[in-house]
Amino acid sequence: MTDRPLRILMISDVYFPRVNGVSTSIRTFRRELQALGHTVTLIAPEYPGHTDQEPDIIRIPSRGVLLDPEDRMMRRHAIDALWPALKKQQFDVLHIHTPFIAHYAGIYLAAQLGIPVVESYHTFFEEYLYHYVPLVPRSVMRFMARRVTVSQCHAVQHIVSPSRAMQDALRDYGVRTPIEILPTGLEVSQYRLGDGARFRDAHGIAPERPTLLYVGRVAHEKNINFLVHCFKQVHAAIPEALLMIVGEGPALTHLRDLVRKLRLQDAVKFIGYLDRDSTLLDCYRSGDLFVFASRTETQGLVLLEALAQGTPVVSTMHMGTRDVLEGTHGTRIVNEDQGEFSAACIELLRDPNARQRLAARAPNDAARWSSRQMAERLVRLYTNMIDQAAATHRQSKSVIAPAMPT
């Protein structure tokens, strides 16, 4: 069993300043692993105008992505050229976080460095891709996504899945690679209570105004359309109600148009990215209810962040959100039905006592998800992989060793 500090190499097609769940997961694990005494080097794309404040990040020259201007595509030859310098650093394991350039470059680097490789499956791609290549039939995109996923999973020694639902989906695809269920969890800083009154004051929201809140990437696969249509019914029953949509993404223009079409311009406020350690905590505390309806989440970290701030959640339960929401006491779980969803919101907005009961229980729901515990489990996975690779190497050497003369 390896008990020394590990040297871990990670590679991803996305990282901050690009804000999404993958970036958040990587940063959280890096911080916790480093706090445990391990070295974590990350290979990620360059972003125009961005300068890193974190150590041990190798930025790769990149170009824009046609269908998603927020993202960047790393130049593969620049990654391949790194391996001689990386070899000198004697990494123990390589962890791939995304299935694009990073996957194939990560497989190459692991082979050159002679180290085991694990890959996290963060995104439910059979649903995700359909929204970005709409001209291709959905059945074709689903078939292609599954075939690529199986091929990629079989190229690594281990898979990390953030939820049981994602593990089950991969098994249904035919993936035979060992899978570890390992969610990201929340850092200690996310349990520090924000100042909701300060946030409302900064954004001109009256203290008594009933407010629904969505936080996350503003993307088609997040099903925010559904939330806006539900809010139309909430607004009809409670005219002073407000919906805040916090984040940015490719669906922003579409949602603004939908809000205008439904004549909700004065009742829906779009707010961009917020700092995770300050204004975002204030934002969570400012909402009376956190609303969520994504069908494609492999985990649903924003649900945990809202609960940690004592903000009751009204949500559907699909994919990875099931792991987060099952057994919770600060939530109202509903079907994906506009009437049922909006009725739950209306009931809770009109009943402050019921809302307060949920709010009091919410932090206990989030307390089960410590990022330090998740990082310790990841270290054990790395260690087992390293030990297995060493045992396999010793065995292969013994097989090919020439027989000793008698």
Side-chain angles (χ1 to χ4, degrees):
M1 174 69 74
T2 301
D3 56 5
R4 59 178 171 77
L6 301 179
R7 299 190 65 83
I8 303 154
L9 180 61
M10 293 184 174
I11 184 168
S12 174
D13 293 282
V14 297
Y15 193 60
F16 293 106
R18 171 73 162 84
V19 180
N20 64 11
V22 177
S23 299
T24 299
S25 178
I26 295 170
R27 176 178 280 178
T28 299
F29 272 120
R30 287 189 79 230
R31 286 175 172 175
E32 295 291 5
L33 290 167
Q34 289 165 343
L36 290 169
H38 306 288
T39 300
V40 188
T41 299
L42 173 65
I43 299 172
E46 282 184 347
Y47 291 83
H50 174 74
T51 301
D52 283 311
Q53 303 300 315
E54 302 176 55
D56 297 322
I57 297 182
I58 301 172
R59 292 291 184 173
I60 303 298
S62 63
R63 58 182 176 83
V65 177
L66 179 62
L67 296 175
D68 192 347
E70 289 184 294
D71 284 317
R72 307 290 296 178
M73 182 175 290
M74 294 185 289
R75 299 193 181 279
R76 172 66 190 274
H77 68 87
I79 305 174
D80 292 353
L82 292 173
W83 79 261
L86 296 174
K87 186 82 171 178
K88 298 175 183 178
Q89 298 184 50
Q90 298 182 319
F91 288 102
D92 297 295
V93 64
L94 190 147
H95 192 151
I96 300 170
H97 283 277
T98 48
F100 304 111
I101 297 296
H103 170 84
Y104 299 101
I107 296 297
Y108 172 79
L109 287 177
Q112 296 298 111
L113 300 175
I115 56 177
V117 57
V118 58
E119 184 156 359
S120 287
Y121 199 90
H122 289 284
T123 306
F124 190 37
F125 281 101
E126 71 170 69
E127 290 293 335
Y128 174 91
L129 291 176
Y130 169 75
H131 295 286
Y132 294 91
V133 194
L135 298 181
V136 178
R138 192 166 192 163
S139 60
V140 174
M141 293 306 300
R142 183 180 293 117
F143 174 79
M144 292 173 58
R146 292 183 178 190
R147 287 291 298 271
V148 170
T149 294
V150 171
S151 173
Q152 291 187 340
C153 288
H154 287 167
V156 302
Q157 282 77 61
H158 220 103
I159 299 293
V160 170
S161 169
S163 67
R164 288 174 295 160
M166 196 65 257
Q167 180 196 47
D168 292 343
L170 293 175
R171 291 296 183 220
D172 288 343
Y173 291 175
V175 172
R176 299 185 301 277
T177 306
I179 301 174
E180 178 88 0
I181 299 174
L182 187 57
T184 303
L186 292 185
E187 296 178 86
V188 172
S189 62
Q190 298 303 305
Y191 294 95
R192 177 177 53 81
L193 293 182
D195 188 335
R198 177 171 59 193
F199 187 86
R200 283 184 175 241
D201 183 63
H203 290 271
I205 303 169
E208 69 281 359
R209 188 171 187 181
T211 302
L212 305 183
L213 170 66
Y214 166 85
V215 173
R217 189 162 182 259
V218 183
H220 300 284
E221 69 271 13
K222 299 296 184 180
N223 205 19
I224 309 172
N225 260 25
F226 173 80
L227 296 178
V228 173
H229 282 289
C230 290
F231 180 70
K232 176 70 172 176
Q233 297 182 38
V234 174
H235 186 257
I238 307 175
E240 67 273 24
L242 173 71
L243 171 63
M244 289 194 294
I245 298 175
V246 179
E248 295 180 10
L252 189 57
T253 299
H254 164 76
L255 288 171
R256 289 185 184 276
D257 290 341
L258 177 61
V259 166
R260 283 192 292 268
K261 180 181 177 181
L262 296 177
R263 299 182 179 180
L264 293 171
Q265 299 96 311
D266 295 332
V268 177
K269 182 181 286 289
F270 290 92
I271 299 173
Y273 288 132
L274 299 173
D275 181 76
R276 288 182 54 77
D277 296 323
S278 56
T279 50
L280 183 57
L281 302 183
D282 293 348
C283 176
Y284 279 120
R285 287 286 287 179
S286 74
D288 292 301
L289 297 172
F290 184 84
V291 292
F292 201 70
S294 173
R295 302 189 189 106
T296 64
E297 296 303 296
T298 55
Q299 183 172 350
L301 279 173
V302 290
L303 295 168
L304 293 174
E305 291 171 352
L307 291 168
Q309 291 298 314
T311 304
V313 167
V314 177
S315 178
T316 58
M317 193 160 67
H318 295 289
M319 290 296 296
T321 58
R322 186 174 302 276
D323 283 10
V324 172
L325 295 173
E326 279 186 343
T328 54
H329 302 283
T331 64
R332 182 70 62 86
I333 300 166
V334 296
N335 294 313
E336 191 178 321
D337 175 84
Q338 289 184 23
E340 183 177 344
F341 197 105
S342 57
C345 294
I346 292 166
E347 176 191 342
L348 289 170
L349 288 178
R350 285 176 169 170
D351 188 346
N353 291 329
R355 201 168 64 245
Q356 183 54 43
R357 286 194 294 271
L358 294 180
R361 298 166 179 166
N364 289 332
D365 292 335
R368 301 177 296 161
W369 299 79
S370 161
S371 59
R372 177 58 58 89
Q373 293 180 24
M374 304 305 174
E376 290 171 346
R377 288 174 53 192
L378 184 58
V379 170
R380 288 196 290 271
L381 173 61
Y382 289 156
T383 299
N384 289 338
M385 291 177 61
I386 293 164
D387 290 344
Q388 289 170 11
T392 300
H393 180 68
R394 288 193 299 269
Q395 185 178 21
S396 64
K397 286 182 67 175
S398 67
V399 168
I400 64 174
M404 296 296 292
T406 59

